[in-house]
Amino acid sequence: KKGGIFMNNLLWTGGWDSTFRLLDLVINKKIEVQPHYIIDKDRPSLKHEIDAMKKIREMVKEKDEGSGSLIRETIFVNVEDIPRNESITSYYKKLLSRSHIGSQYEWLARYVDSMGINNLELCNHKDGTIYNFIRDDVYFVEEENDSYYKMKEELLRPELRMFKKFRFPILDLTKTDMGEIAKKSGFFDIMQETWFCHRPTRRGTPCGWCNPCKVTRKQGLSNRVPAKLVGFLNNVDRKLKRYF
């Protein structure tokens, strides 16, 4: 808490989920946000994500100068500068042996541990990969006019300790839920500027094939993917179902 206003540490990528959380905090709840972004130079979507965040900042300021002032300058850190942590890496490998989990969670856990951050918000949504890992090991917290989930003290599996220093504010929401709240709150237009694709095309459009694109289509937001591509992908999906 700073100057009477709560401040939230948020992993902001310019994507749908983390941008929804950012906008809900600064526009609806008037809570200051400290964004964090980890630079992975091998990430094809790097430029698109940074451009999206810049555009979103500008739109928030145009909509409400006061809300825009609640978004602090983003803390950028290069992934290769995050110190190693064998315990966290070991936890990650155990989780990976059970089911796919993105490598970003390993270095994010190392990041918060090295920085002494105990409340970085990860915007994992309902029914996603992380949701399935942690849903039985979290509890609900209400704080002033905000709420989120945290990991329990006693965990079913020791390897889930790698998530101990995170908070999960939208774990009970789907992407369409967020869209509906955004419409009611008057910031759906800003949400349309978010970026989600991991492997953008040469034209700078979503590929439609990567996992975030698939999740986006599956959760009722296929309008975010070019219409011609959606038609093609739906046709491919129908053909595959005939054989599997």
Side-chain angles (χ1 to χ4, degrees), residues 23-63:
L23 299 177
D24 187 44
L25 285 171
V26 301
I27 293 176
N28 288 339
K29 300 176 180 177
K30 304 302 178 187
I31 294 175
E32 189 176 15
V33 176
Q34 174 59 71
H36 297 251
Y37 183 91
I38 311 299
I39 298 172
D40 179 1
K41 294 177 182 178
D42 295 326
R43 190 177 177 90
S45 58
L46 175 63
K47 181 181 182 302
H48 295 275
E49 293 176 356
I50 292 175
D51 286 348
M53 289 187 284
K54 182 180 179 181
K55 176 66 173 177
I56 290 163
R57 279 183 181 272
E58 293 171 353
M59 292 182 72
V60 174
K61 287 182 179 179
E62 289 174 5
K63 189 177 289 288

Side-chain angles (χ1 to χ4, degrees), residues 76-123:
F76 289 97
V77 176
N78 291 308
V79 66
E80 60 265 25
D81 293 335
I82 301 173
R84 293 184 179 183
N85 186 310
E86 294 303 323
S87 294
I88 289 173
T89 302
S90 176
Y91 292 151
Y92 171 75
K93 288 179 178 179
K94 287 180 180 178
L95 290 173
L96 187 61
S97 69
R98 294 176 179 272
S99 178
H100 172 73
I101 177 173
S103 60
Q104 70 269 29
Y105 294 105
E106 190 268 343
W107 40 257
L108 282 169
R110 288 191 285 115
Y111 170 64
V112 293
D113 184 76
S114 67
M115 295 292 289
I117 300 170
N118 295 310
N119 60 354
L120 183 67
E121 296 190 341
L122 298 187
C123 293

